[in-house]
């Protein structure tokens, strides 16, 4: 039984093409569930026993998770999703008990203004320890705002994208490839970084390198943005991912087609893209409240 969570993790990575972060999180949930059921039932958990897991067992597991970790509805919903996937893997689809998950209110993305996005990228670059690191950080952040890339997608780029053209091929979640336009300003920023980088641009090597030559860590990008937003007095919602939200919101506000935006963002479902229509509506209401004499 102890090896089943590991087999599930291998299945997610190999067959479902889930990200490393998702694989780690779902495997951890599977380990927690098995440990809970062993204590709950008072017996070692065998594969066949997982077919007998009831809705009451899952409610007890979620209650225990809330008690020990203080998790909220969103985390509980993710935990339940991981549990369902694990049980379906272990005993077959359609055998998991029906249990309604906690209600999760979908948050609306919080974009920053175009001026704030550019100021943030420039401030991060100016604060860098070396010119080539500043050029690197500027290129990464402009890719997030100017091309709508996720942080992981930008940092996964290799020297194979060079020389740059008018578009860029990006590999997103579940190894899905999409083509995004490359603005002249973004292209110029990448080329300036490449010219200064001391580590070269081998086709199979990461394009964006850390100070010691290894792949650039997403954590370093987040920390650099966090420091810059404090210096600029920007709100806490100003994160690297907020630049991607801003890309989508600003395009939609300028009349971009929702289906085209879905392709640019690499969303598997249109429902993921439709949330930006709420952002645009919220912006219109803000303008109305601030400008209308009767608002």
């Amino acid at each position: 039984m102890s090896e089943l969570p590991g087999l599930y993790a291998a299945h997610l990575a190999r067959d479902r093409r889930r990200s490393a972060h998702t694989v780690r999180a779902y495997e951890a949930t599977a380990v927690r569930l098995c440990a809970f059921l062993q204590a709950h039932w008072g017996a070692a958990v065998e594969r066949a026993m997982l077919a007998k897991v009831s809705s009451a067992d899952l409610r007890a597991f979620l209650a225990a998770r809330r008690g020990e970790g203080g998790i909220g509805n969103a985390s509980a919903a993710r935990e339940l999703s991981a549990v369902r996937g694990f049980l379906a893997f272990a005993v077959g689809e359609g055998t998991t008990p029906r249990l309604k998950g906690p209600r999760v209110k979908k948050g609306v993305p919080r974009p920053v203004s175009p001026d704030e996005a550019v100021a943030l990228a420039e401030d991060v670059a100016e604060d860098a320890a070396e010119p080539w690191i500043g050029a690197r950080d500027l290129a990464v952040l402009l890719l997030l705002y100017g091309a709508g890339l996720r942080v992981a997608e930008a940092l996964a780029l290799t020297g194979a994208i060079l020389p740059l053209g008018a578009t860029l091929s990006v590999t997103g979640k579940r190894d899905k490839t999409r083509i995004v336009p490359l603005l002249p300003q973004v292209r110029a920023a990448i080329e300036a970084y490449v010219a200064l980088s001391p580590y070269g641009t081998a086709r199979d090597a990461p394009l964006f390198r850390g100070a010691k030559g290894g792949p650039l860590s997403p954590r370093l990008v987040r920390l650099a943005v966090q420091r810059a937003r404090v210096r600029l007095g920007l709100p806490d919602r100003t994160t690297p991912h907020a630049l991607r939200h801003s890309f989508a919101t600003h395009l939609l506000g300028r009349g971009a087609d929702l289906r085209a935006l879905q392709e640019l963002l690499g969303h598997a479902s249109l429902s993921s893209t439709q949330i930006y229509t709420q952002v645009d509506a919220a912006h219109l209401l803000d303008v109305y409240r601030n400008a209308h004499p009767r608002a």
Side-chain angles (χ1 to χ4, degrees), residues 3-19 22-28 30 86 89:
E3 69 179 8
L4 198 53
L7 294 174
Y8 177 52
H11 161 70
L12 290 174
R14 181 187 63 247
D15 303 326
R16 302 297 299 276
R17 297 182 178 180
R18 295 299 180 92
S19 70
T22 298
V23 170
R24 286 193 300 270
Y26 277 38
E27 182 179 14
F86 173 62
F89 167 78

Side-chain angles (χ1 to χ4, degrees), residues 101-125:
R103 180 173 295 181
V104 180
K105 183 179 179 181
K106 285 192 175 182
V108 177
R110 306 290 294 275
V112 298
S113 72
D115 289 343
E116 289 173 338
V118 174
L120 182 75
E122 292 177 344
D123 189 87
V124 169

Side-chain angles (χ1 to χ4, degrees), residues 2 18 66:
S2 61
R18 295 299 180 92
R66 287 182 183 274

Side-chain angles (χ1 to χ4, degrees), residues 220-243:
L220 293 180
V221 178
R222 288 192 293 269
L223 287 175
V225 168
Q226 182 180 2
R227 290 192 294 266
R229 77 176 181 229
V230 171
R231 290 191 297 268
L232 295 172
L234 297 176
D236 291 346
R237 70 173 186 268
T238 309
T239 63
H241 200 66
L243 296 177

Side-chain angles (χ1 to χ4, degrees), residues 121 218 287:
V287 171

